[in-house]
């Protein structure tokens, strides 16, 4: 690389790091706020919230890196145009295509980062996040042991605990079971203990009464008890979770056969499209950087700035994203159409080539 290439590349990387930091912070805070309400509000600790937040970061970076590459390319191009550096470089005889070479190298660096995320970090974090969410959903103590609140751990079950003693004794327990249609059972106990072990939980209620109301005949039966056990573990046990193709590592996708696909509940079209997407999306980061930088070639000097060129670049990226969404729907239905994942990359490269050709043609006429 020449000194000019190194200069442009250094400018792009420094601005890219800044935009990445800002966008990741904004995007992560937005997601973390919703995650905090869902996790901490469900009785989990703050450490669990931090763990889940950390597991969402690879996916945040996957979304943010192409946007940061585009923003960095646009910002550097605007600054070089404003400081007349672009005019000086063009005056030395550098063509528009030659100016894009360090931008392409910058895009390849971002694509390499995205490749690591798409093939390694993102599937790993998705799988671990799903496992932790299942484990949290089965944390019976956190979902039940909250005093002074009416809790609904599952449909048809309502639990209320007035207070929890220091030794773990539950005071004044109310439990309503309306899972059976036409029948409701309400338990009131002076005290109770939650006994957990071997993946199950038993609520041992003491000195209470059970009220059984049957809608048929409108009969109410009252049963007093000294001690009664209630299996609460079976109520809120998590359902079996179907694997997501995005959670599987690339090696597992490549080595999958018909039996493994059937076991995972994944179609051949989904598998092939996921593999193609993990290659196409990093390449799309190169296109976003080139589009952002090349769009500044289209306009002439104006005291009003370059907002029209920037707007044109944003419109181009929006069209490419719409094209990606449209082709994804087809590729997910047809196993032989996985190559459509590369359609936005090819279309974007054609757009960049057209912009460079148009700018060079106009410069030649001038």
């Amino acid at each position: 690389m020449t000194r000019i290439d190194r200069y442009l590349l250094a400018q792009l990387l420094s601005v890219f790091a800044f935009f990445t930091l800002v966008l990741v912070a904004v995007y992560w805070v937005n997601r973390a706020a919703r995650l905090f309400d869902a996790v901490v509000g469900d009785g989990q600790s703050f450490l669990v919230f931090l763990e889940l937040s950390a597991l969402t970061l690879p996916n945040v970076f996957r979304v943010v890196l192409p946007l940061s590459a585009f923003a960095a390319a646009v910002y550097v191009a605007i600054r070089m145009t404003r400081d007349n550096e672009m005019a000086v470089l063009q005056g030395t005889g550098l063509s528009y295509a030659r100016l894009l070479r360090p931008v392409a190298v910058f895009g390849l660096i971002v694509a390499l980062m995205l490749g690591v995320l798409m093939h390694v970090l993102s599937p790993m974090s998705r799988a671990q996040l799903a496992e932790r969410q299942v484990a949290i959903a089965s944390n019976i103590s956190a979902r039940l042991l909250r005093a002074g609140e009416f809790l609904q751990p599952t449909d048809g079950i309502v639990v209320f605990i007035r207070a929890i003693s220091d030794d773990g004794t539950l005071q004044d327990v109310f439990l309503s079971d309306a899972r059976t249609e036409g029948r409701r059972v309400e338990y009131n106990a002076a005290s109770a203990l939650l006994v957990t072990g071997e993946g199950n939980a038993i609520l041992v209620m003491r000195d209470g009464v059970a009220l059984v109301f049957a809608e048929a005949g409108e009969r109410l039966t009252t049963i007093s008890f000294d001690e009664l056990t209630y299996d609460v573990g079976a109520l809120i046990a998590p359902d079996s979770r179907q694997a997501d193709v995005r959670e599987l590592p690339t090696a597992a996708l490549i080595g999958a056969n018909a039996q493994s696909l059937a076991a995972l509940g994944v179609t051949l079209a989904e598998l092939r499209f996921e593999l193609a997407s993990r290659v196409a999306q990093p390449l799309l980061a190169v296109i976003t950087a080139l589009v952002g930088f090349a769009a500044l070639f289209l306009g002439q000097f104006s005291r009003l700035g370059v907002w029209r060129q920037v707007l044109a670049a944003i419109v181009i990226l929006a069209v490419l994203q719409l094209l990606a969404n449209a082709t994804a729907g087809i590729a997910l239905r047809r196993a032989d159409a996985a190559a459509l994942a590369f359609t936005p990359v090819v279309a974007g490269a054609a757009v960049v080539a057209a912009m460079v050709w148009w700018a060079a043609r106009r410069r030649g006429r001038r």
Side-chain angles (χ1 to χ4, degrees):
M1 296 182 67
T2 63
R3 181 175 298 179
I4 294 176
D5 292 335
R6 291 195 297 270
Y7 171 75
L8 282 175
L9 184 59
Q11 294 291 319
L12 289 167
L13 289 176
S14 61
V15 177
F16 168 75
F18 170 76
F19 278 112
T20 300
L21 180 63
V22 172
L23 292 178
V24 166
V26 172
Y27 195 88
W28 181 79
V29 168
N30 183 34
R31 296 195 62 178
R34 292 178 292 177
L35 185 63
F36 183 85
D37 293 337
V39 174
V40 178
D42 198 27
Q44 304 299 323
S45 65
F46 186 71
L47 292 177
V48 174
F49 161 73
L50 291 179
E51 179 186 1
L52 297 182
S53 299
L55 290 176
T56 61
L57 281 178
N59 192 50
V60 172
F61 276 100
R62 182 184 63 83
V63 176
V64 164
L65 288 184
L67 300 177
S68 299
F70 171 76
V74 171
Y75 181 84
V76 170
I78 292 175
R79 188 171 63 183
M80 293 181 64
T81 302
R82 185 185 60 223
D83 297 341
N84 294 323
E85 292 180 346
M86 192 73 73
V88 172
L89 291 176
Q90 293 175 2
T92 61
L94 293 179
S95 64
Y96 291 113
R98 176 64 181 79
L99 288 173
L100 287 180
R101 189 170 76 176
V103 183
V105 174
F106 162 69
L108 290 174
I109 294 175
V110 179
L112 181 61
M113 299 178 186
L114 277 172
V116 175
L117 286 171
M118 295 292 297
H119 292 281
V120 181
L121 297 181
S122 185
M124 186 185 304
S125 65
R126 283 180 181 273
Q128 292 182 0
L129 181 61
E131 292 177 359
R132 289 294 294 134
Q133 288 175 338
V134 171
I136 290 171
S138 61
N139 191 340
I140 300 170
S141 298
R143 299 183 64 179
L144 289 181
L145 299 185
R146 282 186 281 171
E149 298 182 34
F150 283 93
L151 306 175
Q152 189 175 5
T154 188
D155 294 337
I157 300 294
V158 178
V159 180
F160 178 83
I161 302 171
R162 183 182 61 83
I164 302 177
S165 303
D166 294 337
D167 59 356
T169 302
L170 314 180
Q171 304 292 337
D172 296 332
V173 177
F174 168 79
L175 189 150
S176 177
D177 186 350
R179 292 174 299 161
T180 304
E181 185 177 357
R183 182 173 178 267
R184 177 187 294 272
V185 183
E186 296 183 352
Y187 303 90
N188 293 274
S191 63
L193 290 173
L194 184 63
V195 182
T196 61
E198 297 182 359
N200 196 10
I202 302 295
L203 183 65
V204 181
M205 293 179 282
R206 299 171 179 173
D207 300 328
V209 62
L211 305 176
V212 183
F213 176 74
E215 293 182 1
E218 297 185 350
R219 175 177 298 180
L220 177 65
T221 304
T222 303
I223 304 173
S224 300
F225 58 85
D226 295 330
E227 184 174 289
L228 185 141
T229 59
Y230 191 92
D231 186 2
V232 296
L235 299 180
I236 57 178
D239 297 332
S240 58
R241 186 182 65 88
Q242 187 174 3
D244 191 342
V245 66
R246 295 173 297 178
E247 301 172 5
L248 302 177
T250 302
L253 295 178
I254 295 176
N257 51 32
Q259 294 180 352
S260 59
L261 289 177
L264 294 173
V266 178
T267 64
L268 182 60
E270 293 175 343
L271 183 143
R272 289 182 176 178
F273 179 74
E274 178 65 20
L275 278 174
S277 298
R278 293 185 183 185
V279 178
Q281 288 190 21
L283 295 178
L284 196 58
V286 182
I287 301 301
T288 58
L290 291 174
V291 168
F293 199 90
L296 274 295
F297 298 157
L298 299 178
Q300 299 179 359
F301 175 78
S302 175
R303 294 185 182 275
L304 299 178
V306 294
W307 64 268
R308 287 177 295 182
Q309 293 93 302
V310 175
L311 181 61
I314 294 175
V315 171
I316 291 172
L317 293 186
V319 172
L320 292 179
Q321 184 60 46
L322 292 176
L323 182 62
N325 295 338
T327 54
I330 300 174
L332 288 173
R333 293 191 299 268
R334 296 177 50 186
D336 58 345
L340 290 177
F342 295 92
T343 303
V345 178
V346 176
V351 169
V352 172
M355 288 192 293
V356 173
W357 174 82
W358 174 259
R361 182 171 178 269
R362 187 185 59 195
R363 181 182 177 184
R365 289 202 306 264
R366 216 171 34 244

